[in-house]
């Protein structure tokens, strides 16, 4: 699975004409959805990898559409709780939560009686435009 982290789209129009507006709207909408999807896939993959490497248990991954975008959470049943680490250059693990923090709008860890819940939200700029 390839993740496209391109974060800019530029369209040069030598002339703006009424018949082009619909095409431009759809193109911009498609790019916004793509960027949201890329970050959601990367974030969900990080949550799953963290559970696989550290929890040694089953898990539940939930993705929900919310008014402002998307909310994804993972509950695992491991004994420990995820922690943000500061790995050295030579360590091969410990960067997942820092990576997650870099691509999502909000995230958190909730200790549970049996396991942990790690979640993140991504805002959808297309939805935010309607809320303004």
């Amino acid at each position: 699975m390839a993740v496209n982290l391109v974060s800019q789209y530029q369209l040069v129009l030598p002339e703006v004409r009424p018949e082009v507006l619909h095409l431009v709207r759809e193109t911009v909408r498609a790019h916004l959805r793509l960027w949201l999807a890329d970050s959601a896939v990367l974030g969900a993959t990080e949550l799953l990898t963290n559970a696989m490497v550290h929890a040694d248990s089953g898990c539940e991954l939930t993705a929900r559409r919310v008014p402002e975008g998307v909310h994804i959470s993972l509950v695992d049943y491991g004994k420990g709780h995820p922690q943000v680490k500061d790995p050295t250059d030579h360590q091969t693990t410990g960067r997942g939560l820092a990576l997650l923090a870099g691509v999502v709008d909000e995230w958190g860890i909730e200790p549970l009686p049996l396991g942990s819940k790690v979640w993140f939200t991504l805002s959808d700029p297309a939805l935010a435009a309607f809320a303004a």
Side-chain angles (χ1 to χ4, degrees):
M1 164 177 42
V3 176
N4 179 2
L5 294 178
V6 175
S7 60
Q8 177 176 316
Y9 172 73
Q10 183 176 22
L11 177 65
V12 178
L13 297 167
E15 180 181 11
V16 179
R17 301 178 54 98
E19 59 270 15
V20 178
L21 295 179
H22 175 71
L23 178 60
V24 172
R25 273 195 307 271
E26 292 304 313
T27 303
V28 170
R29 184 176 288 122
H31 276 81
L32 291 173
R33 286 183 181 144
L34 175 64
W35 294 334
L36 181 65
D38 285 348
S39 296
V41 167
L42 181 61
T45 301
E46 286 304 319
L47 296 184
L48 286 165
T49 300
N50 196 47
M52 178 183 71
V53 172
H54 301 291
D56 193 29
S57 72
C59 66
E60 297 174 27
L61 180 72
T62 304
R64 288 186 293 126
R65 187 78 165 144
V66 293
E68 63 278 0
V70 66
H71 179 90
I72 296 179
S73 64
L74 182 133
V75 173
D76 70 56
Y77 307 104
K79 293 179 182 172
H81 301 295
Q83 299 176 20
V84 178
K85 298 180 181 173
D86 188 18
T88 67
D89 291 343
H90 303 292
Q91 291 175 302
T92 58
T93 63
R95 293 170 182 80
L97 293 176
L99 177 61
L100 179 70
V103 299
V104 303
D105 295 309
E106 294 181 291
W107 72 281
I109 300 169
E110 299 174 18
L112 301 173
L114 180 58
S116 302
K117 178 179 185 177
V118 184
W119 59 268
F120 66 87
T121 59
L122 288 164
S123 297
D124 184 340
L127 291 174
F130 288 109

